[in-house]
Amino acid sequence: MTTVDFLLQGFATAFQWQNILFAFVGVLIGTAVGVLPGIGPMSGVALLIPVTATLTSGMPTEAAAASSIILLAGVYYGAMYGGSTTSILLNTPGESSSVVTTLDGYQMARQGRAGAALSIAAIGSFVAGIVSLIGLVLLAEPLSNVALKFGPAEYFSLMLLGLAAVSGLAGKSITKALIMTVMGLLLATIGIDAVSGIARFTYDLPILYSGLEFLTIAVGLFALGEVFKTIMERDKEDGAIAKIDRVLPTKQDLKDSSKPILRGSVLGFFIGVLPGAGATLASFFSYIAEKKFSKHPEKFGTGAIEGVAGPESANNAASGGAMIPLLTLGIPGSGTTAILMGALIMYNIQPGPLLFDDHPEVAWGLIASMFIGNLMLLVLNMPLVKVFAKIIQTPKKYLIPLIVAISFFGVYAVQYTTFDLYLLLACGVLGYLLSKNDFPLAPLVLALVLGPMIENNMRRALTISNGDFSIFVTKPLSLIFIIAAVAWLVIPLVLKLKGRKIVINEED
């Protein structure tokens, strides 16, 4: 049988009434999970595993597994879209991959363009979902072989490139961006060292042994930071709320977004294929790429629609790409796909090279259902754009308590500790002070996410090479990434110095 025949069989499975219902429930819950900061796709999928097991208890094993994984996958890619809603409207990232969306999405909302931002996020998510699924159907086997060539040294160098590329988010000063990157890496080292078991920077406080929660810091810096900014600088504002005239993007918005959506979809898919890279790295890389491609990079951070279209497409495409190593190799590329793998194993179905031969109903039924689920997401969310857009028109005296309540609820629901609530407040104050002094927040957040992964991959690479650091330059892919990282930092400095010399010569 050909790939097309298997896909048609998958659609036959996906179009069964119970599977259509499961796909709809999955994307609906996923959207809600993405909107609420703190829950995230990983928690949402984990919480629903016992529910799906109960719902499918009377079904044959193969059919029960297909229905369960269709619902759980719906939660996964539904949450990727839902995270953009509060990022755009309230400057509150629903989950880590939506942090980049706050940079331009929230500025668009403040300018009365929340409807356009939400619509482009929905359209970008849909296009990215379809692109990644076409890639999943056509390229699963060859791309899996490429991903297998990435060892610890290559991953270390790739993430180093990610940190170097964050200078693209630097705003006015690369130095300030690098300071924030180092601060993020330092915060990432807090806790018990996984290898030696030694406590680092915990000051004998047991609460710090598990490290700092990413969500707490991200929500504090972005959401509460914006709250403090609004309160402290209220005298400088006229108090008027920007009117939202239209909820759909203009022809110009669609024209400006079309290329970023396609670029973000392709980039996000390929990054999603790499185990461990994930949607957060994909969205950051997409934003940096769009800023480099733009003829007007100064617009980014002030409400550029390309800064919403690219990252939103990338993080949705990454969720499709992440299915490749899970289904074809049995290697989960993220925490959420690890939980999906656990759900499949619960039904005695082992993801890996034999999955498509032994359980085609499950594998192809899941892929086909993701086509249907992405269409459902578009149909479900486009009519709600107008409802969502009205949130930004809420008077600030009501909106600020709402943001604070969502932030505190989201953080406490995950951590259950008062320490994290204090940390949330401290990060809010810090976020306000940093942004007031032009220190970019995005590099700190990315460094905090990548820090543990960089350290683990570096240690694994050094273990393999018996402590020989040359492993990072003797591996061809690793060397390419390191050269790119160095170039990313050095070239802007050289151009800056060259520009200064030209100015001095002209003055002479």
Side-chain angles (χ1 to χ4, degrees):
M1 289 179 72
T2 64
T3 300
V4 175
D5 293 327
F6 280 121
L7 189 59
L8 289 173
Q9 280 192 355
F11 273 108
T13 301
F15 275 121
Q16 292 172 9
W17 71 266
Q18 74 270 18
N19 289 338
I20 289 176
L21 181 62
F22 280 160
F24 177 76
V25 171
V27 297
L28 186 67
I29 293 173
T31 304
V33 161
V35 167
L36 291 171
I39 300 179
M42 190 158 60
S43 305
V45 171
L47 288 169
L48 284 172
I49 286 177
V51 176
T52 58
T54 305
L55 291 173
T56 59
S57 57
M59 298 167 65
T61 304
E62 193 92 355
S67 297
S68 293
I69 202 71
I70 283 170
L71 190 150
L72 296 173
V75 175
Y76 178 29
Y77 56 85
M80 290 293 123
Y81 170 77
S84 66
T85 305
T86 48
S87 292
I88 291 168
L89 298 178
L90 305 176
N91 203 34
T92 308
E95 30 83 36
S96 60
S97 62
S98 297
V99 167
V100 186
T101 310
T102 62
L103 302 177
D104 281 283
Y106 182 65
Q107 294 302 321
M108 286 183 69
R110 292 182 68 183
Q111 295 162 16
R113 299 171 64 207
L118 289 165
S119 297
I120 286 296
I123 294 166
S125 299
F126 173 73
V127 172
I130 299 303
V131 167
S132 68
L133 284 168
I134 293 170
L136 179 58
V137 171
L138 299 176
L139 304 172
E141 191 174 347
L143 283 177
S144 298
N145 294 333
V146 173
L148 277 176
K149 293 179 181 177
F150 272 64
E154 286 83 359
Y155 275 116
F156 169 80
S157 302
L158 175 66
M159 288 165 193
L160 212 60
L161 172 59
L163 289 184
V166 91
S167 61
L169 302 173
K172 296 175 184 176
S173 171
I174 293 176
T175 306
K176 287 182 176 179
L178 293 175
I179 289 170
M180 296 301 285
T181 303
V182 172
M183 188 186 293
L185 290 172
L186 288 172
L187 291 176
T189 61
I190 294 173
I192 297 289
D193 177 22
V195 177
S196 65
I198 295 170
R200 301 185 299 189
F201 305 111
T202 57
Y203 304 101
D204 294 328
L205 296 173
I207 196 76
L208 291 176
Y209 287 168
S210 58
L212 299 179
E213 176 63 30
F214 163 81
L215 172 82
T216 307
I217 292 174
V219 172
L221 290 174
F222 286 93
L224 286 194
E226 188 61 34
V227 166
F228 285 125
K229 183 180 177 182
T230 304
I231 294 169
M232 299 300 291
E233 299 180 6
R234 64 187 184 279
D235 295 331
K236 299 178 186 177
E237 297 178 1
D238 57 10
I241 297 166
K243 189 179 178 184
I244 300 168
D245 294 319
R246 60 183 294 145
V247 295
L248 294 175
T250 61
K251 286 183 180 179
Q252 187 60 44
D253 287 336
L254 289 170
K255 185 181 176 183
D256 292 340
S257 303
S258 56
K259 288 182 181 177
I261 285 172
L262 290 174
R263 278 194 292 260
S265 300
V266 174
L267 180 67
F269 174 72
F270 283 104
I271 290 178
V273 171
L274 304 173
T280 304
L281 195 61
S283 60
F284 269 93
F285 268 125
S286 175
Y287 189 88
I288 291 162
E290 291 312 317
K291 195 169 180 181
K292 293 291 181 187
F293 278 118
S294 177
K295 293 177 181 176
H296 303 284
E298 69 280 356
K299 290 194 306 179
F300 283 75
T302 63
I305 200 161
E306 299 95 324
V308 175
E312 276 303 307
S313 303
N315 72 33
N316 279 269
S319 64
M323 289 293 179
I324 287 181
L326 171 69
L327 297 177
T328 61
L329 301 173
I331 300 172
S334 65
T336 311
T337 50
I339 293 169
L340 289 173
M341 182 175 173
L344 284 170
I345 292 170
M346 191 174 72
Y347 289 97
N348 293 320
I349 291 173
Q350 178 65 49
L354 298 177
L355 176 67
F356 286 83
D357 293 330
D358 295 347
H359 307 283
E361 182 184 345
V362 176
W364 290 104
L366 169 62
I367 291 170
S369 77
M370 289 175 75
F371 279 100
I372 297 166
N374 272 285
L375 185 60
M376 285 178 175
L377 267 177
L378 187 67
V379 173
L380 183 69
N381 286 296
M382 285 301 284
L384 294 176
V385 165
K386 196 167 186 177
V387 177
F388 289 143
K390 288 287 180 186
I391 294 173
I392 202 67
Q393 291 183 305
T394 308
K396 286 183 179 175
K397 62 181 178 181
Y398 303 123
L399 195 58
I400 287 174
L402 177 67
I403 295 171
V404 173
I406 290 173
S407 301
F408 274 78
F409 170 77
V411 168
Y412 194 74
V414 175
Q415 291 299 98
Y416 298 110
T417 64
T418 52
F419 169 79
D420 275 81
L421 300 184
Y422 290 125
L423 180 62
L424 181 70
L425 278 171
C427 287
V429 175
L430 186 65
Y432 164 64
L433 294 173
L434 289 170
S435 59
K436 186 180 179 182
N437 291 286
D438 294 323
F439 281 87
L441 301 176
L444 186 151
V445 172
L446 180 63
L448 187 65
V449 172
L450 294 184
M453 296 156 71
I454 288 172
E455 183 180 9
N456 290 339
N457 281 295
M458 184 182 79
R459 284 182 159 182
R460 286 169 60 204
L462 291 174
T463 302
I464 292 167
S465 66
N466 291 321
D468 185 1
F469 280 88
S470 66
I471 189 173
F472 298 111
V473 292
T474 52
K475 299 271 186 180
L477 277 173
S478 177
L479 180 61
I480 290 168
F481 290 142
I482 287 174
I483 291 170
V486 172
W488 213 303
L489 291 174
V490 172
I491 289 172
L493 292 172
V494 171
L495 292 174
K496 200 171 182 181
L497 290 170
K498 199 173 179 181
R500 281 181 184 172
K501 284 180 182 177
I502 290 168
V503 171
I504 290 165
N505 290 334
E506 284 178 354
E507 286 176 355
D508 291 342

